[in-house]
Amino acid sequence: MGPVTVVPPPLSAKNVDSFAYPTMKDRIPVIISRIVDNLTRNRDKIIKNYPGEDSLTELKVIIGAMSQLRYEVMTNKPAAPLRDGRSDSFAWNTELKKETEKAGEEPKWFDSAWLWMECYMYRRVCESVFMSNYLKDLDVFEEQKQAAFTNSYKAISSLTMYLMEILSEQELTPLGSMTKNYFLDFLQLSLWGNKCDLSISAGNENHQEHNPIEQLAKLKPFILIDQAEDVFQILCSAWERLGGQPGQVDIVLDNAGFELVTDLCLAEFLVSTGLASKICFHVKAMPWFVSDVTERDFMWTLKQMSAMNHLAISRFSQKWKSYLQDGKWSLRVSDYWTMPNDYNQMKELFPNLYSDLSSTDFILFKGDLNYRKLVGDLQWDPTTDFSVALRDFKPAPLCVLRTLKSDVVVGLNPGQAEDVKKIDGNWMINGEWAVISVQSVDPSTSESTAH
Ligand SMILES: O=P(O)(O)OC[C@@]1(O)O[C@H](CO)[C@@H](O)[C@@H]1O
Ligand SMILES: [Mn+2]
């Protein structure tokens, strides 16, 4: 038996010096107010897209529910059971009961675990929409997500042209050194794509304007942990294990807009250089943390790209649609990604998802929320090993690409956190700093090594 890990307490808004506190006090109320604004401003469009004799009444009910939710957050009311009867509501209400039993009272916004309450907030937003008849499929964040894509046109253009150029001009053998160098570039592009999420900016415009490739060298010193080479090594080991065939890669997506395009470009690079045989993208089952990708966002992005008068953008989107048809790429939706639980609990709560993930050769997790769920959103000492913070979550070799937007980080060297803090007091929350953290799992022994 290995050493027993003492698990620290969760991040919580009860610590007024933590980022959880201003999130609850300011950012979440602003996010809810923006939903109300958006629904009010787009009233006619919504009624037109979701016609029905009661559409307008339902829209008003949703707006009312948003005001009620904002009031509940601001006055620290206890979490109430979900009432929408959606397939996940039983699991959610079971979690609510468990939390209540653990604490001796219902979870509250400013007293309980930040991760739990923040997920509950987005689930409540969805509840108000799911409770309607005509507006059931309304995505209250759609406009913001679509604007984030449209406003990143220049960066998307540079990125896709760069990808097209290297794929057509270079002889890239799967395990060659040139492939490795380009792979490292695309992995970093996907990492920095994570700067562009909309919940951190409380829904303010947050898009990519500059040429992303030119920025890579400048951004390199901001990667606090860089295990990108280990990722390449994992893909090479899969090759060898599979007798000279590439393995499957799963990507647990985060945000729509520019970030999604960086992820798709990475996936294109992987399949067209023979580093991966198949890609499975995991998307959210409902609108989530403002900018997270749903299946609809994914398909919308491809459709928009096809309609663009731009050679590289439209070509890639055609190619990507054909991958979806021939199974080289697939999408998978699971309710687990929109539960409040961390990934250590996945094996017990969603064994099918865990076993699916165990059958792949490599999992890439994108973004800050995935990072929080991997390490449990706990107050770890920053020098804790990544594998210790993951606890029992080791379905397959995995990597997380994350810009820091919440005050939890592990895997740093002694003194590193203190040094970065001297340079940038907001290093943990401003999205300027990043980590590429890896856990390699040897499939024969299931032993993991992480740094
Ligand atoms: O997962 P993502 O898109 O990178 O970030 C989600 C996020 O904006 O939401 C939380 C704050 O509300 C933070 O954990 C994080 O900054
Ligand atoms: Mn996100």
Side-chain angles (χ1 to χ4, degrees):
M1 224 167 68
V4 178
T5 308
V6 180
V7 176
L11 299 177
S12 163
K14 72 180 169 208
N15 305 323
V16 293
D17 295 330
S18 74
F19 188 49
Y21 180 69
T23 294
M24 244 11 125
K25 190 171 147 295
D26 306 318
R27 290 174 52 240
I28 286 188
V30 169
I31 287 171
I32 303 174
S33 297
R34 273 180 195 252
I35 299 174
V36 172
D37 266 14
N38 188 289
L39 297 180
T40 312
R41 199 164 20 84
N42 290 321
R43 191 181 94 156
D44 295 344
K45 198 169 117 195
I46 295 169
I47 304 301
K48 193 166 151 252
N49 291 344
Y50 299 92
E53 50 180 333
D54 288 331
S55 295
L56 182 58
T57 317
E58 287 187 354
L59 185 61
K60 287 182 185 161
V61 171
I62 297 173
I63 293 174
M66 290 301 96
S67 307
Q68 166 67 21
L69 180 61
R70 188 169 181 275
Y71 164 80
E72 287 178 30
V73 177
M74 294 177 78
T75 53
N76 199 24
K77 292 280 178 292
L82 295 173
R83 300 160 300 152
D84 58 19
R86 192 184 175 276
S87 53
D88 64 339
S89 58
F90 179 77
W92 259 97
N93 290 340
T94 308
E95 291 306 314
L96 175 58
K97 262 192 221 136
K98 279 198 228 162
E99 288 296 301
T100 306
E101 274 159 24
K102 217 163 56 185
E105 59 174 357
E106 290 97 343
K108 289 195 192 138
W109 304 93
F110 286 87
D111 303 335
S112 304
W114 175 25
L115 181 67
W116 207 99
M117 295 312 304
E118 200 172 19
C119 291
Y120 175 75
M121 193 289 281
Y122 287 96
R123 183 62 184 79
R124 279 283 302 275
V125 170
C126 291
E127 178 191 49
S128 66
V129 172
F130 296 146
M131 301 260 286
S132 56
N133 281 317
Y134 299 103
L135 306 186
K136 254 188 174 47
D137 294 327
L138 177 71
D139 180 342
V140 297
F141 302 122
E142 189 173 80
E143 188 183 55
Q144 286 155 280
K145 287 186 271 194
Q146 296 187 349
F149 170 84
T150 311
N151 296 334
S152 303
Y153 177 77
K154 268 202 243 159
I156 294 172
S157 163
S158 326
L159 183 62
T160 49
M161 282 198 298
Y162 177 63
L163 179 62
M164 193 162 87
E165 203 178 287
I166 60 166
L167 291 182
S168 57
E169 287 176 9
Q170 319 276 347
E171 272 295 310
L172 297 174
T173 52
L175 312 185
S177 63
M178 208 144 73
T179 308
K180 177 176 167 184
N181 290 337
Y182 285 124
F183 167 75
L184 297 177
D185 280 358
F186 279 100
L187 199 72
Q188 285 173 61
L189 286 161
S190 166
L191 165 70
W192 291 117
N194 182 244
K195 265 185 178 213
C196 302
D197 91 271
L198 291 170
S199 94
I200 192 77
S201 55
N204 275 327
E205 240 194 82
N206 189 2
H207 59 268
Q208 174 77 28
E209 273 177 4
H210 306 285
N211 182 334
I213 299 111
E214 283 168 10
Q215 291 182 302
L216 286 186
K218 211 174 72 197
L219 291 171
K220 198 92 197 249
F222 292 88
I223 306 180
L224 298 169
I225 300 169
D226 186 353
Q227 296 185 273
E229 302 232 357
D230 295 5
V231 177
F232 191 74
Q233 200 41 55
I234 289 169
L235 298 174
C236 294
S237 307
W239 241 86
E240 281 153 25
R241 204 180 55 248
L242 300 168
Q245 297 290 325
Q248 176 177 323
V249 171
D250 281 42
I251 305 182
V252 184
L253 291 172
D254 185 3
N255 302 307
F258 180 69
E259 180 170 357
L260 174 61
V261 180
T262 63
D263 301 333
L264 298 174
C265 287
L266 174 64
E268 168 66 32
F269 183 85
L270 290 172
V271 291
S272 60
T273 55
L275 276 172
S277 58
K278 278 184 181 177
I279 310 281
C280 176
F281 295 99
H282 296 263
V283 294
K284 303 293 190 297
M286 63 187 79
W288 196 246
F289 278 68
V290 187
S291 41
D292 285 21
V293 183
T294 60
E295 186 170 1
R296 208 201 302 176
D297 299 325
F298 191 102
M299 299 315 293
W300 179 88
T301 304
L302 294 194
K303 193 164 163 225
Q304 283 305 108
M305 289 176 76
S306 318
M308 280 177 173
N309 189 13
H310 184 290
L311 184 68
I313 299 181
S314 57
R315 268 212 196 147
F316 279 125
S317 68
Q318 295 305 341
K319 211 172 171 195
W320 297 343
K321 281 187 198 161
S322 75
Y323 289 160
L324 288 174
Q325 268 162 8
D326 66 24
K328 203 170 243 178
W329 283 10
S330 57
L331 290 189
R332 168 129 200 222
V333 188
S334 166
D335 281 341
Y336 196 69
W337 310 120
T338 47
M339 289 296 293
N341 306 87
D342 68 30
Y343 297 157
N344 181 43
Q345 296 161 282
M346 186 192 288
K347 201 193 249 177
E348 184 196 331
L349 298 175
F350 276 56
N352 292 346
L353 178 64
Y354 191 88
S355 105
D356 261 20
L357 291 177
S358 307
S359 68
T360 193
D361 297 291
F362 174 63
I363 314 166
L364 184 67
F365 286 91
K366 290 295 318 281
D368 197 75
L369 180 62
N370 272 322
Y371 188 89
R372 291 172 62 191
K373 287 188 164 186
L374 283 164
V375 302
D377 214 37
L378 305 172
Q379 298 175 35
W380 296 105
D381 180 298
T383 61
T384 310
D385 272 1
F386 184 46
S387 62
V388 170
L390 287 170
R391 293 149 297 147
D392 282 330
F393 186 69
K394 38 183 154 182
L398 64 87
C399 169
V400 56
L401 301 181
R402 171 244 187 171
T403 61
L404 275 69
K405 293 177 254 174
S406 56
D407 26 26
V408 55
V409 70
V410 297
L412 297 186
N413 293 324
Q416 198 180 359
E418 292 75 6
D419 290 348
V420 192
K421 197 175 171 189
K422 279 182 212 147
I423 305 171
D424 180 354
N426 286 326
W427 67 287
M428 289 189 109
I429 55 168
N430 60 15
E432 301 289 329
W433 300 82
V435 296
I436 302 178
S437 288
V438 168
Q439 172 169 255
S440 316
V441 177
D442 177 340
S444 54
T445 60
S446 266
E447 282 301 306
S448 67
T449 51
H451 316 262

